Amino acid sequence: MSKKSGGSFQDSLNDWLVSIIIAVALAFLIRTFILEPYMVSGTSMYPTLVNNERLIVNKLVYFIRDPRRDEIIVFRYPKDESRDFIKRVIAVGGDTVEMRDGAVLVNGKKIDEPYTWKEDPKGLNHSNYRKSVVPKDTIFVLGDNRNNSEDSRFADVDFVPLSLVKGKAAVAIWPLEKARILP
């Protein structure tokens, strides 16, 4: 006598469990090593990014190469690694960085920063930062809203070790009307 091939409840349940386990494992791997959602908190990157804007962070890119100047990155705050910060890379290991009366000089040349907020009601940023060489395996980061940014100018952040960099801000996805690929 031949046995009819029909799925039992147990077979269906096993199939569902395997599918769920695979889906959870894939989601974990994607979020850990490839892409991660991120919500901007605060105005330090205004006008480029706004409070509560949602982004997708590319984590895979920095397994292949180091961050480059002008990229917007997410990193773990050096004094409390449970907090994430988002800033723009201004200088990389080996570069000389300095700020004079708000102008940023990298390797002795003033950099063009069209992304900074120039219309701050507190007045233009006139910060100064001592001439320093960015140590190897670190980066110097600044927020686009210089008068409201906790960044490499301050001892709590200082030069950010590459080991604390989580990824590159790649795409703004929310609100939908402001969805765009980030530079």
Side-chain angles (χ1 to χ4, degrees):
M1 246 178 138
S2 69
K3 207 174 178 186
K4 273 192 174 176
S5 142
S8 71
F9 175 75
Q10 185 65 38
D11 290 340
S12 293
L13 184 60
N14 286 341
D15 289 346
W16 273 101
L17 284 174
V18 168
S19 295
I20 289 169
I21 290 169
I22 289 171
V24 168
L26 282 173
F28 173 78
L29 290 172
I30 288 169
R31 187 174 173 140
T32 302
F33 298 109
I34 301 172
L35 301 171
E36 182 176 352
Y38 179 81
M39 186 174 76
V40 176
S41 178
T43 59
S44 73
M45 287 300 293
Y46 184 83
T48 307
L49 302 171
V50 297
N51 191 40
N52 294 326
E53 192 165 11
R54 276 135 176 110
L55 313 172
I56 297 294
V57 174
N58 178 343
K59 296 174 92 171
L60 185 62
V61 68
Y62 296 141
F63 284 112
I64 300 165
R65 65 169 177 81
D66 289 339
R68 296 179 181 155
R69 284 186 215 112
D70 287 334
E71 290 181 337
I72 299 171
I73 64 160
V74 173
F75 62 96
R76 292 187 309 275
Y77 177 55
K79 297 294 180 193
D80 177 1
E81 292 186 23
S82 68
R83 294 175 58 201
D84 291 338
F85 275 26
I86 186 164
K87 305 291 179 205
R88 187 178 300 272
V89 177
I90 300 298
V92 298
D95 285 342
T96 299
V97 66
E98 176 181 15
M99 288 181 76
R100 282 191 235 142
D101 209 20
V104 179
L105 291 88
V106 175
N107 299 326
K109 296 178 183 166
K110 181 181 175 198
I111 61 172
D112 182 33
E113 297 185 288
Y115 44 76
T116 57
W117 191 28
K118 309 268 193 274
E119 300 170 15
D120 190 325
K122 298 176 193 170
L124 293 175
N125 180 294
H126 294 287
S127 330
N128 290 307
Y129 181 80
R130 72 195 182 288
K131 187 175 185 177
S132 302
V133 175
V134 180
K136 182 182 178 195
D137 297 325
T138 68
I139 51 178
F140 183 89
V141 297
L142 294 173
D144 291 355
N145 181 1
R146 301 285 158 76
N147 285 340
N148 190 24
S149 180
E150 209 175 332
D151 50 39
S152 288
R153 295 172 292 170
F154 305 102
D156 282 356
V157 177
D158 202 26
F159 299 111
V160 177
L162 294 178
S163 62
L164 295 182
V165 176
K166 293 179 78 173
K168 178 181 185 244
V171 181
I173 58 170
W174 192 263
L176 267 173
E177 65 273 5
K178 289 188 171 193
R180 67 201 181 280
I181 295 174
L182 297 170

